[in-house]
Amino acid sequence: CIALAVAWVLVYLCIVNGIKTSGKVVYVTATLPYVALFAFLVRALTLDNASLGIQFLIAPDFSELARPYVWGRAATQVFYSLGVGVGSLVAYASYGERHSDYTCDAVTVSLTDTGTSILASFVVFPVLGFLAHELSGVNPCFKGDSLGSLSDIGLQGTGLTFIALPIAISRMPGAFFWAILFLLMMFCLGIDSEFAIVESVVTVLADAGVGHSWPRPALSGVVCLVSYVIGLVFVTRGGIYWFQFFDTYASLVAMFVVTGMECFGLMWFRSETWRKFATRTKEWTGRELKAPLKASWKFVCPILVVLLIVLSVVTVDPMDSSNSRRFPQGTGYYPAWSIWLGWIMALLPILLLLIFAVLPLPPDSDPAAEGAKCPSIAAAVASTIETEEAVDSSHSRSACSAAKGRNKDAAEDANVLSI
């Protein structure tokens, strides 16, 4: 509980004044992990048996690729890593300048994220090869020429990060230095992801008028306090069970549905929405959104999103709870009711989305335009592109204006939402 409280206090300090503080913190939390990764990469590639880990990484197992669950989890990881469908990209982009080159930013972020994942994998797997070699010397049950025995004893997922890698680091020369570097890297990665998500929640609440009379530090404090209370379940004796449960079901379907709705709102809801968005992109950034990109957003992305939703839904029991067994015979037992509870949690955001999509908006809360009468949130989402033409460009957001209070310019929200 104390460690969790300290973590949330640090998150609060990062977002206490919104983008004004988190924008400075990210210079450290986003760059330090790269320094650590490159240092670990050099060390990992020089370890004994590192080639085994690299071979395991690059040699595909086609039997696993045939499992729908694997593709769904891989897509979930990519969506989460990029921030697609969870709000953090939209929240931070809403502070950007109107004429910023967001097309270049989108490509840069995607390529950087992919490169970082590849870099991290070439750090982790050589270390696992070294660990298999080390353990085979003290325990005949482990094979130095295979990584399969590591997964057999639970060294995967969270066990990989908090058990396997620390064991391997403890056996390296200069273990104290590498342990400190590993701790700093994990701390930066964790807090960077955490305050980005929390900042997006606070931004949405502030834009929705929740706690409108509260100063920004107070609203941020309430969100962090509530999150801390909810997170207490993860530090109980059964915390790892709850963690794996939430990790599996929380983003099982919702992120894909949200992303699909973004494509639908931009490309299908109104025919002129894409045309005006492409024209404005050309005017603001000087870049033309060509036909292949249009085809991707209109056809390829929606088809892939629908396919991912189907792959997620057909796996009724993604945690294999029906076959789970207690320790030491198995890796942990999940009762049958956990399947239904998980799906309720997975589908609840979609249910709320459908409810609010069909409800009429109050006239004074219509995000499309002042005095406009949109019949639903779905219509308001698509109409924001058209409304933006009538709004003065001096209303664009900046980090400085965010410190004094977020600009309620609906057109700027439309620009970010469309992106």
Coordinates of all heavy atoms in Angstrom, one line a residue, residues 144-192:
G144 N 19.8 -25.8 -21.2 CA 20.5 -24.6 -21.7 C 20.3 -24.3 -23.1 O 20.7 -23.2 -23.6
D145 N 19.7 -25.2 -23.9 CA 19.5 -25.0 -25.3 C 18.0 -24.7 -25.7 O 17.6 -24.8 -26.8 CB 20.0 -26.2 -26.1 CG 19.3 -27.5 -25.7 OD1 18.6 -27.5 -24.7 OD2 19.5 -28.5 -26.4
S146 N 17.2 -24.4 -24.7 CA 15.8 -24.1 -24.9 C 15.3 -23.1 -23.9 O 15.7 -23.1 -22.7 CB 15.0 -25.4 -24.8 OG 13.6 -25.2 -24.9
L147 N 14.4 -22.2 -24.4 CA 13.8 -21.3 -23.5 C 12.4 -21.8 -23.0 O 11.8 -21.1 -22.1 CB 13.5 -19.9 -24.2 CG 14.8 -19.2 -24.7 CD1 14.4 -17.8 -25.2 CD2 15.8 -19.0 -23.5
G148 N 12.0 -22.9 -23.4 CA 10.7 -23.4 -23.0 C 10.5 -23.7 -21.6 O 9.5 -23.5 -21.0
S149 N 11.6 -24.1 -20.9 CA 11.6 -24.5 -19.5 C 11.4 -23.2 -18.7 O 10.9 -23.3 -17.5 CB 12.9 -25.1 -19.1 OG 14.0 -24.3 -19.4
L150 N 11.7 -22.0 -19.2 CA 11.5 -20.8 -18.4 C 10.0 -20.5 -18.3 O 9.5 -20.1 -17.2 CB 12.2 -19.6 -19.1 CG 13.7 -19.7 -19.1 CD1 14.3 -18.4 -19.8 CD2 14.3 -19.9 -17.8
S151 N 9.2 -20.7 -19.4 CA 7.8 -20.5 -19.3 C 7.1 -21.5 -18.5 O 6.0 -21.3 -17.9 CB 7.2 -20.5 -20.8 OG 7.4 -21.7 -21.4
D152 N 7.7 -22.7 -18.4 CA 7.1 -23.8 -17.7 C 7.0 -23.5 -16.2 O 6.1 -24.0 -15.4 CB 7.8 -25.1 -17.9 CG 7.7 -25.6 -19.3 OD1 6.7 -25.2 -20.0 OD2 8.6 -26.4 -19.7
I153 N 7.9 -22.6 -15.7 CA 7.9 -22.3 -14.3 C 7.3 -20.9 -14.0 O 7.5 -20.3 -13.0 CB 9.3 -22.4 -13.7 CG1 10.3 -21.4 -14.4 CG2 9.8 -23.8 -13.7 CD1 11.6 -21.3 -13.7
G154 N 6.6 -20.3 -15.0 CA 5.9 -19.1 -14.9 C 6.7 -17.8 -15.2 O 6.3 -16.7 -14.9
L155 N 7.9 -18.0 -15.8 CA 8.7 -16.8 -16.2 C 8.3 -16.3 -17.5 O 9.0 -16.4 -18.5 CB 10.2 -17.2 -16.2 CG 10.8 -17.7 -14.8 CD1 12.3 -17.9 -14.9 CD2 10.5 -16.6 -13.7
Q156 N 7.1 -15.7 -17.5 CA 6.5 -15.1 -18.7 C 5.6 -14.0 -18.2 O 5.2 -14.0 -17.0 CB 5.8 -16.1 -19.5 CG 4.7 -16.8 -18.8 CD 4.0 -17.9 -19.6 OE1 3.9 -17.8 -20.8 NE2 3.6 -19.0 -19.0
G157 N 5.2 -13.0 -19.0 CA 4.4 -11.9 -18.6 C 5.1 -11.1 -17.5 O 6.2 -10.7 -17.7
T158 N 4.3 -10.9 -16.4 CA 4.9 -10.2 -15.3 C 6.1 -10.9 -14.7 O 7.0 -10.3 -14.2 CB 3.8 -9.9 -14.2 OG1 3.3 -11.2 -13.8 CG2 2.7 -9.0 -14.8
G159 N 6.1 -12.2 -14.7 CA 7.2 -13.0 -14.2 C 8.4 -12.8 -15.0 O 9.6 -12.8 -14.4
L160 N 8.3 -12.5 -16.3 CA 9.4 -12.2 -17.1 C 10.1 -10.9 -16.7 O 11.4 -10.8 -16.6 CB 9.0 -12.1 -18.6 CG 10.1 -11.7 -19.6 CD1 11.1 -12.8 -19.7 CD2 9.4 -11.4 -21.0
T161 N 9.3 -9.9 -16.4 CA 9.9 -8.6 -16.0 C 10.4 -8.6 -14.6 O 11.5 -8.0 -14.4 CB 8.8 -7.5 -16.2 OG1 8.3 -7.6 -17.5 CG2 9.4 -6.1 -15.9
F162 N 9.7 -9.1 -13.7 CA 10.0 -8.9 -12.3 C 10.7 -10.2 -11.6 O 11.1 -10.1 -10.5 CB 8.8 -8.6 -11.5 CG 8.1 -7.3 -11.9 CD1 6.9 -7.3 -12.6 CD2 8.7 -6.1 -11.7 CE1 6.3 -6.2 -13.1 CE2 8.1 -4.9 -12.1 CZ 6.9 -5.0 -12.8
I163 N 10.9 -11.2 -12.4 CA 11.5 -12.4 -11.8 C 12.7 -12.8 -12.7 O 13.9 -12.9 -12.3 CB 10.6 -13.6 -11.7 CG1 9.4 -13.2 -10.7 CG2 11.3 -14.8 -11.1 CD1 8.4 -14.3 -10.5
A164 N 12.4 -13.1 -14.0 CA 13.4 -13.6 -14.9 C 14.6 -12.6 -15.1 O 15.7 -13.0 -15.0 CB 12.8 -14.0 -16.3
L165 N 14.2 -11.4 -15.5 CA 15.2 -10.4 -15.8 C 16.1 -10.0 -14.6 O 17.3 -9.9 -14.6 CB 14.6 -9.2 -16.4 CG 14.1 -9.4 -17.9 CD1 13.5 -8.1 -18.4 CD2 15.1 -9.9 -18.8
P166 N 15.4 -9.8 -13.4 CA 16.2 -9.6 -12.2 C 17.2 -10.7 -11.8 O 18.3 -10.5 -11.4 CB 15.2 -9.3 -11.1 CG 14.0 -8.8 -11.8 CD 14.0 -9.5 -13.1
I167 N 16.7 -12.0 -12.0 CA 17.6 -13.1 -11.8 C 18.8 -13.1 -12.7 O 20.0 -13.3 -12.3 CB 16.9 -14.4 -11.9 CG1 15.8 -14.6 -10.8 CG2 17.8 -15.6 -11.9 CD1 15.0 -15.9 -11.0
A168 N 18.6 -12.8 -14.0 CA 19.7 -12.7 -14.9 C 20.6 -11.6 -14.6 O 21.8 -11.8 -14.7 CB 19.1 -12.6 -16.3
I169 N 20.1 -10.4 -14.2 CA 20.9 -9.3 -13.9 C 21.8 -9.6 -12.7 O 22.9 -9.2 -12.6 CB 20.0 -8.0 -13.7 CG1 19.4 -7.6 -15.0 CG2 20.8 -6.9 -13.1 CD1 18.4 -6.5 -14.9
S170 N 21.2 -10.3 -11.7 CA 22.0 -10.6 -10.5 C 23.2 -11.5 -10.8 O 24.1 -11.5 -10.0 CB 21.1 -11.3 -9.5 OG 20.7 -12.6 -9.9
R171 N 23.2 -12.2 -11.9 CA 24.3 -13.1 -12.3 C 25.3 -12.4 -13.3 O 26.2 -13.1 -13.7 CB 23.7 -14.4 -12.9 CG 22.9 -15.2 -11.8 CD 22.3 -16.4 -12.5 NE 21.7 -17.3 -11.5 CZ 22.3 -18.3 -10.8 NH1 23.6 -18.5 -11.1 NH2 21.7 -19.0 -9.9
M172 N 25.0 -11.2 -13.6 CA 25.9 -10.5 -14.5 C 27.1 -9.9 -13.8 O 26.9 -9.5 -12.6 CB 25.2 -9.4 -15.3 CG 24.1 -9.8 -16.2 SD 23.4 -8.4 -17.0 CE 22.1 -9.1 -18.0
P173 N 28.2 -9.7 -14.4 CA 29.3 -8.9 -13.8 C 28.8 -7.5 -13.6 O 28.2 -6.9 -14.5 CB 30.4 -9.1 -14.8 CG 30.2 -10.3 -15.5 CD 28.7 -10.4 -15.6
G174 N 29.1 -6.9 -12.5 CA 28.7 -5.5 -12.2 C 27.2 -5.5 -12.0 O 26.5 -4.5 -12.5
A175 N 26.6 -6.5 -11.3 CA 25.2 -6.6 -11.1 C 24.6 -5.4 -10.5 O 23.4 -5.0 -10.8 CB 24.9 -7.9 -10.3
F176 N 25.2 -4.8 -9.5 CA 24.6 -3.6 -8.8 C 24.3 -2.5 -9.8 O 23.2 -1.9 -9.8 CB 25.6 -3.1 -7.7 CG 25.0 -2.0 -6.9 CD1 24.1 -2.2 -5.9 CD2 25.5 -0.7 -7.2 CE1 23.6 -1.1 -5.2 CE2 25.0 0.4 -6.5 CZ 24.0 0.2 -5.5
F177 N 25.3 -2.2 -10.7 CA 25.0 -1.1 -11.7 C 23.9 -1.4 -12.6 O 23.0 -0.6 -12.8 CB 26.3 -0.9 -12.5 CG 26.1 0.0 -13.7 CD1 26.0 1.3 -13.6 CD2 26.0 -0.6 -15.0 CE1 25.8 2.1 -14.7 CE2 25.8 0.2 -16.1 CZ 25.7 1.6 -15.9
W178 N 23.8 -2.7 -13.1 CA 22.8 -3.0 -14.0 C 21.4 -3.1 -13.3 O 20.4 -2.8 -13.9 CB 23.1 -4.4 -14.7 CG 24.3 -4.3 -15.5 CD1 25.5 -4.9 -15.3 CD2 24.4 -3.6 -16.8 NE1 26.4 -4.6 -16.3 CE2 25.8 -3.9 -17.2 CE3 23.6 -2.9 -17.6 CZ2 26.3 -3.3 -18.4 CZ3 24.1 -2.3 -18.7 CH2 25.4 -2.5 -19.1
A179 N 21.4 -3.5 -12.0 CA 20.2 -3.5 -11.3 C 19.6 -2.1 -11.1 O 18.4 -1.9 -11.3 CB 20.4 -4.2 -9.9
I180 N 20.5 -1.1 -10.8 CA 20.0 0.2 -10.6 C 19.5 0.8 -11.9 O 18.4 1.4 -12.0 CB 21.1 1.1 -10.1 CG1 21.5 0.7 -8.6 CG2 20.7 2.6 -10.1 CD1 20.4 0.9 -7.6
L181 N 20.2 0.5 -13.0 CA 19.8 1.0 -14.3 C 18.4 0.4 -14.7 O 17.6 1.0 -15.3 CB 20.9 0.6 -15.4 CG 20.7 1.3 -16.7 CD1 20.7 2.8 -16.7 CD2 21.8 0.7 -17.7
F182 N 18.3 -0.9 -14.4 CA 17.0 -1.6 -14.7 C 15.9 -1.0 -13.9 O 14.8 -0.8 -14.5 CB 17.2 -3.1 -14.5 CG 15.9 -3.9 -14.7 CD1 15.5 -4.2 -16.0 CD2 15.1 -4.3 -13.6 CE1 14.4 -4.9 -16.2 CE2 14.0 -5.1 -13.8 CZ 13.6 -5.4 -15.1
L183 N 16.1 -0.7 -12.7 CA 15.1 -0.1 -11.8 C 14.7 1.2 -12.3 O 13.5 1.5 -12.4 CB 15.6 0.0 -10.4 CG 14.6 0.7 -9.4 CD1 13.3 -0.1 -9.2 CD2 15.3 0.8 -8.0
L184 N 15.6 2.1 -12.7 CA 15.3 3.4 -13.2 C 14.5 3.3 -14.5 O 13.6 4.1 -14.8 CB 16.6 4.2 -13.4 CG 17.3 4.6 -12.1 CD1 18.6 5.3 -12.5 CD2 16.4 5.6 -11.3
M185 N 14.9 2.4 -15.4 CA 14.2 2.2 -16.7 C 12.8 1.8 -16.4 O 11.9 2.4 -17.1 CB 15.0 1.1 -17.5 CG 14.3 0.9 -18.9 SD 15.1 -0.3 -19.9 CE 14.7 -1.8 -19.0
M186 N 12.5 0.8 -15.6 CA 11.2 0.4 -15.3 C 10.3 1.4 -14.7 O 9.2 1.6 -15.0 CB 11.2 -0.9 -14.5 CG 11.8 -2.1 -15.1 SD 11.1 -2.5 -16.7 CE 9.4 -2.8 -16.2
F187 N 11.0 2.2 -13.8 CA 10.3 3.3 -13.1 C 9.8 4.4 -14.1 O 8.7 4.8 -14.1 CB 11.1 3.9 -12.1 CG 10.6 5.2 -11.5 CD1 9.6 5.2 -10.5 CD2 11.1 6.4 -11.9 CE1 9.0 6.3 -10.0 CE2 10.5 7.6 -11.4 CZ 9.5 7.5 -10.4
C188 N 10.7 4.7 -15.0 CA 10.4 5.7 -16.0 C 9.3 5.3 -17.0 O 8.4 6.0 -17.4 CB 11.7 6.1 -16.8 SG 12.8 7.1 -15.9
L189 N 9.4 4.0 -17.4 CA 8.4 3.4 -18.3 C 7.1 3.4 -17.7 O 6.1 3.7 -18.3 CB 8.9 2.0 -18.8 CG 10.1 2.0 -19.7 CD1 10.5 0.5 -19.9 CD2 9.8 2.6 -21.0
G190 N 7.0 3.0 -16.4 CA 5.8 2.9 -15.7 C 5.1 4.2 -15.5 O 3.9 4.4 -15.8
I191 N 5.8 5.1 -15.0 CA 5.3 6.4 -14.6 C 4.9 7.2 -15.9 O 4.0 8.0 -15.9 CB 6.2 7.2 -13.7 CG1 5.4 8.3 -12.9 CG2 7.3 7.9 -14.4 CD1 6.1 8.9 -11.8
D192 N 5.7 7.0 -16.9 CA 5.4 7.7 -18.2 C 4.1 7.3 -18.8 O 3.3 8.1 -19.2 CB 6.6 7.5 -19.2 CG 6.5 8.4 -20.3 OD1 6.0 9.5 -20.2 OD2 7.1 8.1 -21.4

